[in-house]
Amino acid sequence: MSATMREYLDIILPSYVGAMFIAIILRNINEQLALVEIPDNAINVISDLCLGIFLTMAMMGLQSRCAEPGCCVSKRASR
């Protein structure tokens, strides 16, 4: 029976961490062997787009939580 990382180390990692490790390995292999040539400006554009989407989703999530009645912000204002 295989044990999970939580059983050994009491660590829970988000599911996307595995994909990040694979991407790091593939990127380093590609840098060493030059299998696929990807221009740096293309990587910059994609990373800027992904960061913008992530920040937008994070901010929208914060706004929806604070719009609920009894939000922590409204509790602080009433003190």
Side-chain angles (χ1 to χ4, degrees):
M1 198 184 297
S2 66
T4 63
M5 189 175 355
R6 182 174 185 186
E7 292 173 0
Y8 284 118
L9 303 174
D10 199 28
I11 296 175
I12 301 172
L13 296 175
S15 58
Y16 59 85
V17 172
M20 289 175 61
F21 283 133
I22 292 171
I24 290 168
I25 292 168
L26 291 176
R27 172 74 189 243
N28 285 313
I29 289 171
N30 189 47
E31 289 289 324
Q32 295 297 318
L33 301 177
L35 300 172
V36 179
E37 186 175 334
I38 302 172
D40 286 338
N41 59 350
I43 294 174
N44 289 337
V45 168
I46 292 170
S47 66
D48 288 346
L49 177 68
C50 291
L51 178 62
I53 291 170
F54 168 75
L55 290 174
T56 301
M57 291 173 63
M59 294 303 289
M60 289 175 67
L62 288 175
Q63 288 176 355
S64 67
R65 288 188 196 127
C66 288
E68 296 173 3
C71 176
C72 57
V73 174
S74 62
K75 288 180 184 176
R76 276 190 249 146
S78 64
R79 287 182 189 174

